[in-house]
Amino acid sequence: MDYKDYDFGLVGLGVMGRNFILNVADNNFKAFGYDLDEEKVEALKTEGGDLSKVSASTDIKTFVQALSSPRKIMLLVPAGKIVDQAIESLLPYLDEDDIIIDGGNSFFTDTDRREAYLKDKGIHFFGSGVSGGAEGARKGPSIMPGGDKEAYQHVKPIFEAVSAKYKGEPCVAYLGPKSAGNYVKMVHNGIEYAMMQLTSEIYDLLKKSSGLSNGELHQVYSKWNEGRLQSFLVEITAEIFTQKDDLTDSDLVDMILDKAKQKGTGKWTSQNAMDLGIPVPTIDMAVSMREISALKDERILADNLYNRPEIPSISKEELIEKAEQSLYFAFIIAYAQGLHQLSYASKDYGYELDMATIARIWRAGCIIRAGLLADIAEAYTADKEVPNLLLSPSFVPKVQETLPAVRDMVAFAAKSGIPVPGLSSALSYFDAYTSSKLPLNLIQAQRDHFGSHTYERIDRDGIFHTEWGA
């Protein structure tokens, strides 16, 4: 092995890491991996086959010495203390101006802390969200880097080569300083939570109210994926309905327990949105529904205590048509909420984010990729300062024409006792955001009545307080 001859280093050779490093090698960059687990190191060498451009070691010193300067080292390890431990293990062997890239789902404040810590040591650090799962890592993910702009230039050729491509354009771009990359990936995952919840609710409506078979559901989602709902999540949903269970004679989807797990990025999105004062109720509800799903035993008990209403009659054709319009509307709302949060976070945290750029790098490779993102990129290109997608003139007719169907579907679900909290929250959010008059004047009166919290008036400037009942 020639020391100082490898272009790129990667720490963490699980499935995601191995796939990413093989992608790097496929694009004619020499890549060297590191993992404490000998089996993972050997797995990379085996999967690399005759690739002379990839190698790996369990020895940290050998790993670092194999890399050309400035060293470009990416961490693909679980978020949290393991990232800090990996950084500390590298530091004794690094030189000034070497670069460490965190490719995991680290919380954005941890990225800011690590950047400041390493800057004092002369080491460049940036967080870079990677979306697309194991397959995306191998064939081309969407990559969301942020941090030191000058250091990114050293990594840019590699990232542009390995990223997914949309009509020839790489789905990667420098997003902004500090933790901009990890923050954008966090919100990406929040939108992902919402879109998954919405897709599952529509599935539930179709199955319970019209008794569509899994074969019919496959056909419905496949057809939707050929139209304006074209997206990765709709595509894989159609595919899921065709999978047979190898342990029974049933379809696999019917044998999976209805308890959804989570890794925390959706919750972080909701929590930080509340800190910023930005409403993202559809994302919030997606997180809450995963928590409700975990209460399986309690849900079974409750189901036996309460009667459900009879489901009103509706034709399959009408249901499918209104369901498509509802899902399209709700996808727009999910993107609108996430991008609204990003626009405000950009100002608060100094990220200097460009929403059109973010939409463009999400068009391929990532989990929330969808045809709709091309329209979103155009909307923000036309007006980069628009705070919310619902204020974009190009989206007004898209939303407007779906509203009758959405209202019908939410009402139908309520009458049927079929929970659609994501869709309901999307509609309520829309109705609230587009209302020039809300009943919050009464809340301000209540706050002033019991706590002297003051209020503002509609007819004059200033802050007022009333001695109520006096």
Side-chain angles (χ1 to χ4, degrees):
M1 181 184 73
D2 294 326
Y3 279 4
K4 299 187 180 299
D5 191 36
Y6 285 79
D7 306 301
F8 185 80
L10 193 141
V11 174
L13 299 179
V15 175
M16 188 84 171
R18 292 201 304 275
N19 281 354
F20 194 92
I21 201 170
L22 289 170
N23 185 358
V24 172
D26 282 343
N27 283 280
N28 297 314
F29 294 96
K30 297 191 70 174
F32 202 93
Y34 166 75
D35 202 291
L36 290 170
D37 188 333
E38 180 69 40
E39 288 186 7
K40 291 179 180 176
V41 169
E42 291 305 314
L44 173 63
K45 292 179 179 178
T46 300
E47 290 173 29
D50 296 331
L51 281 175
S52 60
K53 294 181 178 297
V54 63
S55 190
S57 175
T58 57
D59 180 69
I60 191 82
K61 184 176 181 180
T62 299
F63 166 71
V64 176
Q65 288 182 341
L67 304 175
S68 60
S69 294
R71 299 181 179 96
K72 297 166 283 293
I73 300 172
M74 187 169 186
L75 313 179
L76 274 176
V77 298
K81 291 182 179 179
I82 295 178
V83 176
D84 294 305
Q85 292 167 357
I87 290 170
E88 292 302 322
S89 68
L90 289 166
L91 279 177
Y93 309 103
L94 297 181
D95 296 324
E96 189 172 335
D97 289 329
D98 283 347
I99 302 162
I100 298 177
I101 308 148
D102 181 7
N105 286 327
S106 290
F107 191 54
F108 71 100
T109 57
D110 287 337
T111 299
D112 290 332
R113 169 179 58 81
R114 289 167 185 144
E115 182 189 39
Y117 170 69
L118 290 169
K119 187 175 183 179
D120 288 342
K121 300 180 181 299
I123 305 298
H124 299 293
F125 180 83
F126 60 90
S128 183
V130 178
S131 177
E135 183 177 355
R138 187 71 179 87
K139 297 180 180 178
S142 173
I143 309 177
M144 297 157 249
D148 187 312
K149 191 171 186 177
E150 186 176 323
Y152 174 68
Q153 301 309 309
H154 293 284
V155 185
K156 181 179 177 181
I158 298 174
F159 276 9
E160 289 189 346
V162 304
S163 69
K165 306 297 184 296
Y166 179 85
K167 295 183 179 179
E169 292 182 41
C171 289
V172 59
Y174 174 78
L175 296 177
K178 302 184 293 184
S179 54
N182 281 129
Y183 192 93
V184 170
K185 177 56 164 48
M186 178 187 77
V187 174
H188 164 286
N189 285 22
I191 297 170
E192 176 186 312
Y193 271 56
M195 292 176 70
M196 293 174 73
Q197 175 63 30
L198 293 162
T199 307
S200 72
E201 289 178 9
I202 295 299
Y203 148 72
D204 201 32
L205 265 175
L206 293 172
K207 194 172 183 70
K208 287 179 177 175
S209 58
S210 279
L212 268 68
S213 68
N214 289 331
E216 289 174 312
L217 288 166
H218 164 72
Q219 292 175 352
V220 168
Y221 277 83
S222 294
K223 184 176 180 181
W224 286 354
N225 193 53
E226 295 171 0
R228 61 182 179 176
L229 279 173
Q230 184 278 316
S231 59
F232 174 71
L233 287 171
V234 171
E235 177 187 345
I236 66 167
T237 300
E239 189 176 297
I240 285 167
F241 292 125
T242 67
Q243 185 70 43
K244 292 294 181 182
D245 179 26
D246 57 7
L247 300 177
T248 68
D249 294 329
S250 302
D251 294 330
L252 180 57
V253 68
D254 295 330
M255 302 307 297
I256 297 175
L257 187 65
D258 58 329
K259 288 172 64 173
K261 294 181 172 59
Q262 55 183 314
K263 292 186 177 180
T265 45
K267 179 179 69 176
W268 293 347
T269 304
S270 290
Q271 289 173 331
N272 184 252
M274 291 183 185
D275 291 339
L276 292 170
I278 297 300
V280 291
T282 309
I283 296 172
D284 298 339
M285 187 52 70
V287 175
S288 292
M289 282 303 293
R290 295 200 188 189
E291 292 165 346
I292 290 174
S293 80
L295 306 175
K296 179 68 172 180
D297 293 340
E298 294 176 39
R299 290 191 287 118
I300 292 172
L301 290 173
D303 195 9
N304 291 324
L305 293 175
Y306 297 95
N307 296 323
R308 289 204 175 275
E310 288 189 12
I311 297 174
S313 176
I314 185 172
S315 72
K316 286 184 179 181
E317 293 75 17
E318 181 184 359
L319 179 69
I320 291 169
E321 181 182 348
K322 290 183 176 180
E324 188 273 344
Q325 293 184 65
S326 297
L327 190 56
Y328 181 68
F329 165 85
F331 275 9
I332 290 173
I333 296 297
Y335 284 121
Q337 290 178 13
L339 290 163
H340 194 204
Q341 179 172 347
L342 285 174
S343 69
Y344 273 75
S346 181
K347 295 169 187 172
D348 272 38
Y349 304 137
Y351 288 150
E352 303 170 8
L353 298 175
D354 183 275
M355 299 301 123
T357 297
I358 292 170
R360 280 195 290 269
I361 67 172
W362 285 349
R363 291 176 302 179
C366 69
I367 303 302
I368 65 170
R369 62 185 184 263
L372 189 56
L373 283 161
D375 296 333
I376 293 173
E378 288 180 10
Y380 280 104
T381 299
D383 182 1
K384 66 185 302 182
E385 299 300 327
V386 66
N388 191 305
L389 200 58
L390 292 175
L391 298 175
S392 170
S394 64
F395 269 82
V396 172
K398 296 180 192 298
V399 172
Q400 194 73 42
E401 64 98 4
T402 65
L403 285 170
V406 177
R407 297 190 193 284
D408 285 349
M409 280 290 90
V410 170
F412 176 82
K415 288 179 182 178
S416 305
I418 299 172
V420 288
L423 183 60
S424 298
S425 74
L427 180 58
S428 292
Y429 168 83
F430 170 82
D431 284 337
Y433 188 78
T434 57
S435 292
S436 59
K437 180 70 174 175
L438 292 171
L440 281 294
N441 54 319
L442 179 58
I443 290 176
Q444 282 301 90
Q446 292 169 333
R447 294 179 72 245
D448 192 56
H449 192 298
F450 67 68
S452 300
H453 292 299
T454 73
Y455 57 86
E456 296 171 86
R457 296 178 59 92
I458 64 174
D459 59 346
R460 64 199 67 193
D461 293 335
I463 303 297
F464 298 86
H465 165 63
T466 293
E467 292 298 325
W468 298 87

